[in-house]
Amino acid sequence: MSRPELDLAALAAGTPIPRDAEGPVFAEPWQAQAFALTVALQNRGVFTAQEWAQALGAEIREALSSGGCRDGSDYYERWCEALEHLLIAKGLASHDGLDALAASWARAAEATPHGKPIRLENDPLRG
């Protein structure tokens, strides 16, 4: 898989991004997807590298101050939180909309038979 083009120094803002000699590493597919989504949004001008770095840094500082992981194991959870907050601040998402979508995914996961892919259309309340 080719790695997206991005200024990783600006993106990470001095935070401990999980990486190897070739760049970022991902323990789960969703982490790579969250990374790629952020890169695509930045490349489209939705936010700048500096705005992203500030959002991610603030999220990590907040998590650490409230007893979050210090070993970096929750890095991509913080990544997603920062992305959500930045999209809300930009007026591209809302708390209510994100909460509703998360609840829909949870219902879809509950309704999906074991071993099958979880799809949003599996949400029994989705119309």
Side-chain angles (χ1 to χ4, degrees):
M1 180 167 116
S2 68
R3 298 187 190 261
E5 293 300 317
L6 190 66
D7 179 354
L8 288 176
L11 184 72
T15 58
I17 186 169
R19 59 181 299 129
D20 61 17
E22 295 179 27
V25 294
F26 310 103
E28 300 287 338
W30 70 265
Q31 296 171 347
Q33 291 168 338
F35 184 93
L37 177 60
T38 303
V39 170
L41 292 170
Q42 182 182 322
N43 287 343
R44 288 191 174 163
V46 173
F47 48 80
T48 66
Q50 184 170 354
E51 288 174 310
W52 171 249
Q54 290 172 349
L56 180 57
E59 187 61 40
I60 290 170
R61 282 189 301 278
E62 182 180 324
L64 289 174
S65 71
S66 63
C69 294
R70 296 191 178 278
D71 64 1
S73 62
D74 64 346
Y75 183 81
Y76 286 106
E77 284 87 354
R78 302 294 64 81
W79 184 286
C80 289
E81 289 289 326
L83 184 56
E84 285 181 11
H85 292 145
L86 191 52
L87 293 176
I88 289 168
K90 294 280 185 177
L92 299 171
S94 69
H95 287 287
D96 290 344
L98 291 172
D99 289 347
L101 187 57
S104 185
W105 275 110
R107 289 188 301 269
E110 189 68 29
T112 300
H114 180 73
K116 299 290 183 183
I118 300 170
R119 301 189 192 288
L120 198 52
E121 53 267 16
N122 292 350
D123 175 1
L125 299 182
R126 191 170 168 94

